[in-house]
Amino acid sequence: MVGNTTGGVDLGVLGPFEVRIGGAPRDVGGPRLRTLLAVLAAEAGRVVSVPALGHALWGEELPEHADRTVRTYFSRLRGSMDSRLILTRSPGYVLHVAPEALDAARFEQLAVEGRRALAADKPGAARAHLAAALALWRGNAYEEFAGVETLQAEGMRLERLRHNAVQDRIDADLATGEDVGLIAELESLTAAFPGHERLWAQLMTALYRAGRQGDALEAFRRARHGLITASGVEPSPVLAQVHRQVLAHDPSLLPARSGVVVTIPDDALAAGEHALLEDGDLRTSREHFETAYRRADEAGDADALARAALGLGGVWVHEHRTAAASEQLLTRLRHALAGIDPALALARRLRTRLAGEEDYQAVMHDRILAVVEETREAGDPVAHAEALSLAHHCLLGPDHTARRHALATELVGVSARSGRRTDLVMGVLWDTVDLFLAGDPHAQRRLGELDDLLAARKHLAAGFVADAVKVMLAIRAGRFREAEQGAQACAELGQAAGDVDALGWYGAQLVAIRWFQGRLGELVPVLDGLMHSPTLSPIDNSYYAALAVAAASSGDRRTAAGALARLCGGDLGALPRSSTWLISLCGAAETAYLLGDTETARRVAELLRPFGHLPAMASLAIACFGSIHYPLGTAALTTGDLDRAVAHLRAAVQHNLALAHWPAVVFSRRRHAEALVRRGAAGDAVAAASELAAAEEEARTFGEPPQALPSPFSG
């Protein structure tokens, strides 16, 4: 056990509550003292208010002088432990121990390391981490505190993580060739959790490897029957794919130790297609396709030339960001298209890629949507799947929510006919992103389905997006330190995958973290450099907005005004409706507020007003700045329309609560309070004080000191 300045403290909550100091058990007192200590442990170093502690002890039936009684209990607790372990911090108490003092924290860290090792194709290391994580459990989490609401909720959360870790460990076992011994365990787990499709997929895989194909198919029948009976839904694409693999005797279901593995022909074209379509490895595939294109061109092999040119396009649109590289790709696609029969399927796919690349750079979508119709009518599932995915990528502005959803849903369906795993992965990925961009409350369910799909077999490009979305969720939860570490790890994953967005996304996530920490001014030099990075999309203007806000918030009005002018150009309305359009306008609204620029604020409000129902998201839901009502309210404050400001900011509070974006809740409460004070109507002062009190209470739950959050009255 590694402690902090307080020494060797070990708290056990994954079973009967235990306290050990210096390796020896310590009796801290009766049930109420144990409850108070457990509540502090569950809050992981965050201050817990005295009223919240009283609620944990007595629920809604608080005794007289409850606060005084709580303080008396803490005096006793300190007497039974090292007094340095429990500190008084307004408005309550905090447990001062190292994070690893709590067995639940050690479990979570080991589980995360196990999942990362699994994603990195290191199943042996994953098994070791996950086995160590699960060995920490001695029973049910917080099992003796069944009547304490907060501990019940934390216990349920940990139980879900435990269940996920068990499934990750099973994936690691399967990846290392352990399968027959898993069948009994998986039969028991599917009986206990019949709605968990990942478990059924694991059971089918283990049965198939054991030579029990019939039993594997029967397992699918049972899973499907249970899903239809319980929820009226068919199996997800993840489980359906395993079913298809069993029926097709897909060799990728077999373990590497069996000697029956998928072999990749020793040529650059096949290696590139495998790296791209199976592994989502953009960097490796590009290297192979470059070699394949050169060889095909030298040999006059038109078919191979077309396949190599298509492969060089990658998974996304506009992966070749510099002007020279982009033009080279377009030239190669046109050259390949000119050398083959236009009626061939390859020609159709080349026209699809060309339409997507040209539309994206022109901020259009007419050509690619026309190709979607062409491929649908042609009955060509591969070309149609590619057209659907590329069209989706060309429609990332806020105007096309319903159309994007329809494209993603169709792509998932088409993947069953194309026979390509990458089409299924991209369909589920796009649908996940769409739900987050729309602020859909069920978005995290879809992210879980994507995780299951990627756990079955890694796909680096999609895994990069999934990890980036999880960083965004950590920011929304106010877990800034975890988010910053995750953003760094995510950037490294993106670079390993060869994704040109790795640097840009890291910058966007760092901007979100520093913004909600009240430290955005620190990033002025970084943002000034990032604005000129050749890897940024040519239709991305968000870094001008970020620099403008950072400079304005640090008092550098000259730099802020210059960046805002570059962002606005002749008219803000001319900005391309890209995936960063909303947050660019949010930055313009904030800068206008800080600089007192009423003209810009008025134009921002006109442009944003149709999108008040949406969250302000960057790119593929990788950073979230809260409700669009917040910049709308800020713009109204700047122009002096105080009634409208109050209405928008009140709506922002409610929308951010629905998003579970707690830092944005704090910010919107504070600015709502400012709007109320400025308006000064009857009851506004009392309402403003209430909002500020609520904001400060919520700010204390973050992993950063509340004083780091800026005052809403700084403008």
Side-chain angles (χ1 to χ4, degrees), residues 369-389:
L369 289 177
V371 172
V372 167
E373 293 301 322
E374 177 191 335
T375 55
R376 184 184 290 119
E377 292 172 7
D380 182 342
V382 170
H384 190 46
E386 291 175 352
L388 288 166
S389 188

Side-chain angles (χ1 to χ4, degrees), residues 657-709:
L657 284 168
L659 291 171
H661 194 325
W662 303 110
V665 169
V666 170
F667 271 41
S668 51
R669 284 196 192 281
R670 287 178 166 181
R671 195 149 287 173
H672 183 216
E674 178 186 357
L676 289 165
V677 169
R678 288 192 182 185
R679 188 174 68 173
D684 279 354
V686 173
S690 176
E691 282 285 56
L692 285 175
E696 298 314 304
E697 180 68 23
E698 286 157 356
R700 291 189 184 96
T701 66
F702 301 157
E704 298 288 332
Q707 61 267 29
L709 294 168

